[in-house]
Amino acid sequence: MTDLSAPDVRDDLVTASHILVQKNILDGFGHVSARDPDNPDTFLLSRNLAPGLVQREDIMRLDFDGNDVEDSGRRSFLERFIHASIYRHRPDVNAVVHSHTASVLPFSITKAATLEPVMHMSGFLGPEIPVYEVRDHGHEGCDMLIRNSTMGDELARSLGQEAVVLMRGHGMTVVAADVRLAVFRAIYTEVNARVQAAASSMGAYVALTPEEARAADETNSGQNRRAWALWEKEVARAP
Ligand SMILES: [Zn+2]
């Protein structure tokens, strides 16, 4: 049954797409999806479109095999399998952001450092953030995209129970219990990556302990409404 007091998930998806573009998490590429609260074995994702241009009527409903449930004839994203497989593997996840964020990408390719939570706003990051490597799964010479359920399932297994999985030479995928929290996590994964890179350029630095990260995450997960209200207003004002 639909909770009428809950935010409309289609409206949130449109706002989320625009916020993530404004925050440089998404550009002409990348996408954000939500599990359909009325049909939880399906999910909502825009048609194949730059995220800054997404409007409510662009949102499609897909099943966990990546098929268009409503047979709308519209073209979906090639990488819809990222979302489909994660919803199938993670019943606790109701929103997924996939991006190619430039400040996060170095941590997917370097052998010299691993992304880790270094500040209180990113306590949701686990102490060992997984990196999905296509070559570990026999996809040598591929174009790096998650093009089918087999690769989607591999990515979902790499993610495990974490909030973020990096994808070597490609980007990141962030999950959460709702769209607003997924946006918050995507933004602060990016901020954490910048802060960690800046600190490591100065030399040795101190990361959060797992206990500090967990405690900070507990506090922040309940506080993200304030940030969403600001970001929503910023995109509403944008030309
Ligand atoms: Zn991608």
Side-chain angles (χ1 to χ4, degrees):
M1 206 165 62
T2 307
D3 174 2
L4 293 176
S5 65
D8 183 283
V9 73
R10 285 176 171 79
D11 287 344
D12 267 11
L13 274 181
V14 173
T15 306
S17 290
H18 299 173
I19 291 171
L20 290 167
V21 170
Q22 200 186 58
K23 298 292 178 191
N24 291 319
I25 308 300
L26 304 178
D27 49 19
F29 299 92
H31 15 86
V32 50
S33 71
R35 191 186 292 273
D36 183 352
D38 297 322
N39 304 279
D41 55 351
T42 64
F43 65 100
L44 306 168
L45 178 68
S46 137
R47 71 185 170 93
N48 193 321
L49 190 66
L53 303 177
V54 169
Q55 297 299 327
R56 193 181 161 98
E57 58 271 22
D58 297 312
I59 293 170
M60 301 170 65
R61 192 156 70 83
L62 306 175
D63 66 21
F64 294 167
D65 293 318
N67 300 313
D68 177 3
V69 177
E70 285 153 354
D71 218 3
S72 68
R74 293 179 294 179
R75 196 157 70 90
S76 184
F77 290 107
L78 264 178
E79 292 201 288
R80 59 192 180 277
F81 302 100
I82 292 172
H83 305 261
S85 290
I86 289 175
Y87 291 123
R88 184 168 40 224
H89 285 257
R90 288 278 300 269
D92 60 311
V93 167
N94 295 313
V96 175
V97 174
H98 169 63
S99 77
H100 309 148
T101 312
S103 45
V104 176
L105 262 165
F107 290 96
S108 80
I109 57 176
T110 182
K111 300 286 183 198
T114 53
L115 187 66
E116 58 185 339
V118 296
M119 53 181 286
H120 70 114
M121 299 301 281
S122 44
F124 56 86
L125 293 171
E128 284 175 36
I129 297 158
V131 181
Y132 171 71
E133 165 58 87
V134 285
R135 292 181 208 161
D136 289 347
H137 299 275
H139 307 300
E140 280 84 358
C142 76
D143 65 4
M144 314 300 283
L145 302 185
I146 305 296
R147 295 180 156 269
N148 51 51
S149 290
T150 302
M151 295 180 85
D153 289 350
E154 291 162 4
L155 179 71
R157 279 194 288 272
S158 290
L159 170 68
Q161 294 306 306
E162 300 295 327
V164 177
V165 58
L166 304 187
M167 302 152 82
R168 195 267 304 163
H170 176 178
M172 68 169 177
T173 297
V174 179
V175 305
D178 63 56
V179 172
R180 297 177 180 198
L181 189 57
V183 166
F184 177 94
R185 287 179 171 180
I187 289 172
Y188 281 104
T189 300
E190 194 276 338
V191 174
N192 189 94
R194 272 192 286 134
V195 170
Q196 187 179 336
S200 63
S201 75
M202 297 178 219
Y205 67 89
V206 180
L208 300 192
T209 64
E211 293 73 26
E212 288 169 342
R214 255 195 307 276
D217 182 39
E218 254 177 59
T219 302
N220 289 330
S221 290
Q223 296 272 347
N224 76 313
R225 205 177 300 169
R226 179 167 45 170
W228 176 270
L230 171 68
W231 297 332
E232 189 177 32
K233 199 155 254 169
E234 284 174 351
V235 292
R237 270 198 232 114

